[in-house]
Structure formats: C-alpha cells, structure tokens
Amino acid sequence: MPDRGGGPPTGPRIRVGRPSRRVRTLLMTLGVLAVLAMAFTMFAGFWTDWLWYRSVHYSSVFKTTLWTKIGLFFVFGLLMALAVGFNIWLAHRLRPPLSAMSMEQQNLDRYRMGIAPYKRWLLLGITALVGLIAGASASGQWRTWLMWVNGVPFGQKDPQFKLDVSFYAFDLPWYRFLLGFGFAAVIISVIAAALTHYLYGGLRVTSPGARATAAATGHLSVLIGVFVALKAVAYWLDRYGLAVKSSDFKATDSWTGLRYVDANAYLPAKTILFCIAVICALLFFATIWRRTWQLPVTGFGLMVLSAILIGGLYPALVQKFQVQPNEQAKEAPYVEKNLKATRDAYGIEGTQVAEYPGVSQTKDQTKLRDDVDAAASIRIMDPNVISPTFQQLQQMRNYYAFPNNLDVDRYSKDGKDQDTVIGLRELNLAGIPKKNWINNHFRYTHGYGVVAAKGTEVDSEGRPVFTESDLPSKGDLGTYEQRVYYGEKTTTYSIVGGPQKEIDYSDDNGEKTFSYKGDGGVDLSNPINRAAYAAAFSEPQILYSGAIGEGSRVLYNRTPKERVEAVAPWLTIDGDAYPAVVDGRIQWIVDAYTTTNGYPYASRTTLGDTTADSLTAANNQRAVVAQQNQVNYIRNSVKATVDAYSGDVKLYQWDTEDPVLKTWMKAFPNTVQDKSEISDTLMAHLRYPQDLFKVQRELLTRYHVKDANTFLSGSEVWQVPDDPTNKSGDAVPPYYLSMKMPDQKQQAFSLTTTFTPNGRDNLSAFMAVDAEAGTEGYGKIRILKLPTSTTVNGPKQVQSQLNSEQDIAETIRLLRGGDSEVEYGNLLTVPLDGGLLYVEPVYVRGGDLKYPLLRKVLVSYGGNTAFENTLDEALAKVFGEAEEGSTQPPPDEGEDTTEPPPTSTNPTVREALSDAQKAFDAGQKALEQKDLAAYAEAQKDLEEALQRAEDAQARTDESGGKNGDDKNGDKGEDGKASPSPDPTGDSGSGQGSG
C-alpha cells in the first residue's frame, strides 16, 4: 500500500558523526596548552617582577604592595559578592507562592522555567562577576588604605573644624572610598533584588492588583533606606570636604577651602540636609511594619526638594545679595586662611621679599666692573645648548651619545668650587655598526666615562674647556668606575656577565672587551628564569641562545627615574636626574617628592602644567613623573641615588619633619635610610630640585603677597615669562648659577628665575633660592621686588633689544652668513648694585661644523648693551670703555665672523685690511672643509693683519691725520670710527661711511 503520510522523505540518510577520538584528543590538548600558555604568561609577569625587586633589595616593597592589593581585592570583592548575592537570595526567598494568572506572568514563567535548573550556578556567576569587578577596583586603592592605616599627625589643625590635617590627608580619602563602595553595593543590590522580585512575581508592571507584594515592598524599602542613610553620611562628610573643595575664584582658578558662602550657606545647608536624610532613612525602614511607600516616598521627595532649595538656591542667593555687593570685606578673612595654608603647604612661608630699586645706585659705573666677579660666577656654557658640542668633540664612537640637556654641578679644585657642565657618555644603540640581537643586547651594553667642562670659560675657538675628557675619561675627577650600565638614554635590556664578551671601549689599539662583574640585574642561569624572561620580553631566543650561560644577568628598568619610581611607587619623581662622581662611582642623583591633595585651605596646582617649560617641551625625558597630578602639598622629602654601574638604588630621608614621608616609612619600613647616612662627598653634589622650584615660583606669582585685600584686587599678580631665547611660547626654565644676593656676603650656588607683571614684559621681580645642600641657608627663597614706578627691562625686552639694535643685528646677520646658524644660550640675570645685569652667550654652528661654538656674549646693564667676543670684553665695554648708552660693538678680532675693520686712506692700512679679508675668506673655506689646522692658521694670519692695520692707523692718528686722512673721511658724525661694510674701504662714500 503506497505511503500517503507526510513522513520524512525516503533515501539515504546523512549522519553527522561526532569528531573522532583523535580529533577530540587533539582539540583538548590544544585547549589545555592554550590555558597553560596564558597561565605561564601571567606567572612570568609576576615572577620577573619578584626577581627584579629582589635584585635591587626592595622585595619588601613588592610584598607589601602585593599583599595589600590581594587583601583589598578579596575583602571588598567578597563584601560586594555577599551583599548582592544575599539580596538576590532574599528576593527569591520572599517570592509569592503563586503567580497571578496574567499575560505578563505567563511570559515570565518561561524564563523562570528556563533558569530553574541553573539557579544556583547563575547566582554564583553573578556574585562572582560583581565581586571580581569590585575587588579589582578596591585593589587600586592600596595607597589610600596604607595612608589611612599608617597615617601620622601633622601637628597642625585646620582653621574651620579644628581637626588635624592628617584627617583630610589620610582619613577622609579612605572614608570617601568606603562611602562610594557602599553606594555601589546598595545600588547593584537594589537593581538585582528588583529584577528578582519582578521575575518571580513580587513586582508587577502590567498585572492587575497591587504592583508589589508586601515582602518586596519591605525588602526594597530597607535597601533604599540604607541608600538614604549613606547619603546622610555623605552630607556629613561633605561638611569637612568643604575645607579641601576646589572652586574657581577671581584671584585664582585653583582655590581650595571655605569661602564666605561655604561657611555661611553650604555648611549649615549640609547639616540640615544630613538631618533630613536621617529622618527620611528612618521612614524607609518603617515600611517593614507599615507596608506602604507613601510616607517614605514623600520624605524622599522633600529631601530632594531641600537639596535643591537649601543646598543650591540658598547659597546662590547668599553669594548674590550678601557677598557680591561687598566681596572684599566678606572674603578677606577666608583669603587670609588660604594665604597662610598655601604658603605652609608648599614650603614658601619663609620667602623673604625685599624691595629692590632696579637701577644702579653708583653713578660711576666703571667702579662696578670689579663687583661683577664678586656678584656671580657667570656661566657662559649653557648645558641646554652645548650637548652637540660634547657629542662632536667627545663622542669618540657612534655608539656613544650624550643627553640632549646636560647638567650643572659643582666640583672643587684647589679648594675653589667651580660651576661645571657635566654629561655621561651613554650607550646609543642607534649608532652601532651592525644591528642584530647579539649586538643590541650582548655586545653593546654600556656607555663609558664622564665628560665635564668649566661653566664659566671657553677656549680661543669658543669650545668648552674640558676638565674631564677623552676615552677612557681623565682629568680632575680622579679615578672612578667609568662604565655606565644605567642611564637616561639606556632604555633597552642587556644580558651581561656570561660567555659573550662585551665591547668595553675602543682606542688606537682596537676594541677592548669586558665581562660584567657587578651584582646588578637578575641571574639567568636558572632555566625557569630564562623561560620567564623569554615570555615577559616576548623573545624566545633568551630560552635557547648559547650566548647565555653561567653568570649571565639581565639588566632592565635602567633609567634612574624608572628605577626610583619602581622601588618607591608612592613618590613623585623630579624630571631632571643628574650624574655626579661620588666616592669613586658615578651616581645618578634623583630628587623625589611626597605629595597630597588633602591639605585644607591650600590651593591646588597641576604638576604636569606647573613644571612644564621650554626644556620639557623639547625633551619629554625631563617631565616630572607624578603619582598624583593635582596636589596642594609637596615636599622634597627624599634624595635618591642610582649607581650607574651596579644599578643599586638608595633612598635617603631628606625632610625629617614631613608627616607624609613618615606615613610611607611606616607602611614600607627599612626602605628609606636616615639622613645621617648621606656621605659628605654625596652631600656636596645635592642641590635644590628644579621641579619643586618651578611649583613654588608659579605659586609665588600670586602668593608673594600676605595682604588679603591686595590678593583679592589682583594688582600684584605676576607671571613667569616665556623663554626669550626661542619662539616656543613656553615658560623660561630656571637656571643654576653661583651668585650673591644683596643680603649675602658671598656667592652661593643658587637656582634663579624672573617674574614679569601679568600681561606685560617689563621686570617685576627676581627670585633665587639657595640650592647648595648642607649649607645653613639651603632652601631659603629670596625675592627682589622692583618698584612699579620705574620700568626695568624684562628678559623678552632685553632679547628684543639684542635683535633690534642696528649694529648688533648686523653682526648677527654676518654670523648667520653662509649656512651658519645662531643659537641663543641662557639669558642669565644677576642683581648688581641695585640694578640687574643680563648676560647671554650666543653660539654659532658655522659651515659644516654642526655643533655650536661660543662666538659672542651679550651683556646689558642700566640701558647699556655690549655684544662682544668674550664676556670680559663685553663687561669692560658696558662698565668702562663704552660711553653711556652706546651699544655699538667694536670690530671682532680673531674669528671667522669678524666684522670688517674701519676704512682708511693710509696705504699700509689698506694693504693690511686686504690681507685680513683674504685670511677671513681662507678661514671660512677651512671651516667648510672641516680643516681645523688650516682654520687655525687662517685665524693667526687674520690676527696679524688686523694688528698691522691697527698699528698703522695709530701712527696716522698721532701724526694729525696725515697720509690723506681728512677730517671726516674715516669718522662718523660723532667723531668715532665706524665699521665699514666694505673690507677694502672702496665704498665710495665719504662722511659716515661704514
């Protein structure tokens, strides 16, 4: 009988078989291997971190940080999981026994049936997920926890609530974290409970009858009551938060602390709202018995309305009708509190502000020339310009390099301190002859030697006068370990000490090899360590390379700032680490700060912006490494050193009174050594840090005044001028200089800067701080405030004068002849006899010599300006030889950029000038061909020819103008000889030629 049904079609069936056992085994094996690979990668990161901290002897930092993070993760992750899990479980337990027969509930039945077999796993999964998220968030608060549990008192109380500053710095941040965690736990619990009640019929949206069962109403009311109670706690903490609240203010955009409206409107409003929130929370808790939402919802609405009216509208009315009509009188008491707190928090409370006339008090300025040497050791070697000169003259090999910005230090010779420009010959992998893995990481591993030069001298060619030079380095620094394995430019890892020899340095006898003998780095003899680093560095060759063997050690994290930040993750690191030779070793010296943003009433500053200047803009390596960018308290509490050979890091307690440092020393015991451990030789090289100085100078643009009314008026607001030596528009960097302030008896190594009025370019003030550590005056800030009734040129105006003076501008044009480039050095400012002396070196990169040589020095004082070959010549002209107000430079002698000498009809003079022109041209050609010997010979010929011309002209002048020298032929209208643009004298002009 034929099939009439609708059964399946006949024909061969295609069976989809399960994978074979071999395939399943393979897939399972691959899955297990993938899991193991991920697990080992995670382990490698942990294990290499542990090995690194152990190698630098700071394993306690690693352990303390790790266990704190783990503890916070599990405690708060478990609390969040329990809170959410308990409320889901409770909502499920309080579900109604029968669901209403409605379309809504019928639809929900399908979901209920679907998840019924997996309820337990679903509950565990949800709680585990929220617990992991909460735990990870809480572990990031390890600094907050450690500061709270280890906090020590400041011994100072805020003026409003009379609480110790430690409450705001250490306690309040932790309480706010707990409050935020509580809010998150309650909100997630409310959402999870509401969804569970809805799923099981406790809450209904479209079903007829009551919208919520009594059990659901009570449960959710309690949770909302807890939320409102937490809001009450928040209102109470907000009262104290007013003392560290940031707000815009007319005098500053970083104001912190209570103002009139805060003390008289917000503070009582927060107290009232606290009381209302407590009552509202009690009403929500009462629904457990009343089983109705009416009263608590009404109370909640009143609380919201009160928050708007009392917390928002009322303070606005107070500000509008009480403060604004008489703002100065109302705000003055609170401004005084802010002034005092800010000055205390930034260490500027002892700033000495003195009036300074700004103009010379001596009529006979020729007497001031000798005073200049006593006033300052003027540094004409700019460490931010001459790095290419160090590079060209002392690099020796392409695989060495110097930092872009060199450093200034002090070294003593024959009992006399000398400002010294110093740099290390560091490893430069970009210059190695052939790049491969062995060369990059095994053979070229370190730099070699210190190069140093006098800061106040140059040789006859405008080059630095080196006090330590050559390879290996030799000079005034004596014997020391010269190999540089750790430095600012050393950013890759090296593997040293094993079978593969390293290139030490090269000399005329060829390459010298070396094998690292220090205890820095991590031992790679262990195969587990090799595997871990192969995974951590993503470099499998580490695992099997024959270049690694017994004694091999891997060096990484090699920049000084990077190492200090790693061993002390609670410190902010100064942007400028600098090297010094101390006790036969090269030590990197790193300044470090403790900070907080919880100092009541002290205005906040942004470290990244405040410490930025024209140098950090050009070299990001000089940027501050900030743990907390917004701060309102800072101390240079730690001086750190990093050994350039072994990488050893040492932290020294510098500020023995800093409560923030004491707190961290409790949290990380035995990591910071006592100040008494600093040796005398190390102390001689410690200095006042630049980034702290830049923060302080930015604050002192406003906080140099102590009178509240003056502060409010803004009439004496200063600004840090832009760097006049370039067009970057960034702030001028501070400069280290040995100088003497008016109240000092002798020179002190100082850090200096200038101020200009807000929106103007003339000078407002000069600021200096004693920067030499270990001296009685260390850290004393002095400000010389210029009168507003007189106008004294600021840095930008002095630079403009340099560029606009006709004779100086012509000289600069000649200096730029050919393809030469002119670079302006640091514009130094020195107080001198009531006036201000400006000195700026000018460098030239001539021809193919792509490194700067000092060619001119600008000196300006009291309206007199000189632009000469040497500092002595410029000072002599400003203070003696030049007439008052004269800015015309004399002919340049002894260099390729010499201005043409004056014309003369004397044939002997004409012949000598012709020879001078030929020597000048020969010198230029020698420079282009980089023939220094020929250049030196040309300079000698030039000097002889100019001397002959000078002698012949002198004889002519003594004979009363004989030999055809008429009255006006070689003189300007003022009777003075003027330089001629034509070195042969054939200009065709008579009077005023040149």
Side-chain angles (χ1 to χ4, degrees), residues 309 423 528 569 659 841 971-972 974:
L309 296 178
I528 296 179
K971 307 283 185 179
D974 59 356

Side-chain angles (χ1 to χ4, degrees), residues 666-917:
K666 281 182 63 178
F668 296 95
N670 303 320
T671 57
V672 181
Q673 299 184 34
D674 191 79
K675 187 176 182 178
S676 61
E677 297 296 321
I678 300 176
S679 66
D680 293 339
T681 50
L682 175 59
M683 183 71 75
H685 296 284
L686 301 182
R687 67 189 191 188
Y688 201 82
Q690 290 191 56
D691 283 341
L692 176 61
F693 183 79
K694 286 188 279 189
V695 169
Q696 290 174 328
R697 76 170 177 178
E698 179 64 30
L699 268 295
L700 283 168
T701 60
R702 302 182 303 274
Y703 287 91
H704 63 278
V705 300
K706 297 183 179 180
D707 177 64
N709 291 326
T710 305
F711 184 85
L712 282 167
S713 70
S715 61
E716 292 197 16
V717 174
W718 300 335
Q719 66 182 13
V720 179
D722 294 340
D723 191 344
T725 64
N726 58 60
K727 299 179 181 180
S728 66
D730 297 301
V732 62
Y735 296 122
Y736 287 105
L737 182 69
S738 290
M739 54 160 289
K740 181 176 70 173
M741 292 290 275
D743 64 330
Q744 292 178 299
K745 295 182 180 179
Q746 59 185 10
Q747 292 182 17
F749 189 66
S750 305
L751 192 53
T752 67
T753 192
T754 53
F755 296 109
T756 59
N758 196 21
R760 298 172 58 193
D761 293 326
N762 57 289
L763 201 66
S764 282
F766 174 81
M767 172 181 168
V769 62
D770 285 4
E772 187 166 356
T775 60
E776 183 179 354
Y778 174 80
K780 183 175 179 59
I781 300 174
R782 296 176 173 87
I783 293 180
L784 302 180
K785 182 182 175 184
L786 277 67
T788 56
S789 58
T790 60
T791 301
V792 179
N793 285 343
K796 186 175 182 180
Q797 292 171 322
V798 173
Q799 189 70 42
S800 297
Q801 186 178 13
L802 166 67
N803 296 330
S804 61
E805 289 283 351
Q806 182 176 357
D807 296 320
I808 296 177
E810 177 64 18
T811 303
I812 292 177
R813 186 187 67 78
L814 291 174
L815 290 173
R816 288 196 174 108
D819 61 350
S820 298
E821 299 176 6
V822 172
E823 295 185 31
Y824 299 107
N826 37 220
L827 181 58
L828 302 175
T829 309
V830 178
L832 178 66
D833 189 50
L836 289 159
L837 174 70
Y838 286 100
V839 179
E840 181 180 56
V842 178
Y843 303 84
V844 176
R845 297 184 187 228
D848 292 331
L849 291 177
K850 297 303 181 184
Y851 61 93
L853 299 174
L854 182 69
R855 286 302 184 213
K856 292 287 184 179
V857 179
L858 167 75
V859 173
S860 178
Y861 182 79
N864 294 340
T865 304
F867 192 59
E868 300 299 317
N869 298 333
T870 67
L871 176 61
D872 286 340
E873 291 176 7
L875 290 172
K877 182 171 183 180
V878 165
F879 293 112
E881 296 178 0
E883 292 185 5
E884 185 174 355
S886 174
T887 61
Q888 180 174 311
D892 300 335
E893 296 182 11
E895 68 171 75
D896 60 311
T897 55
T898 304
E899 290 188 69
T903 61
S904 175
T905 56
N906 187 318
T908 304
V909 174
R910 295 281 296 276
E911 181 181 359
L913 292 178
S914 178
D915 292 341
Q917 180 65 42

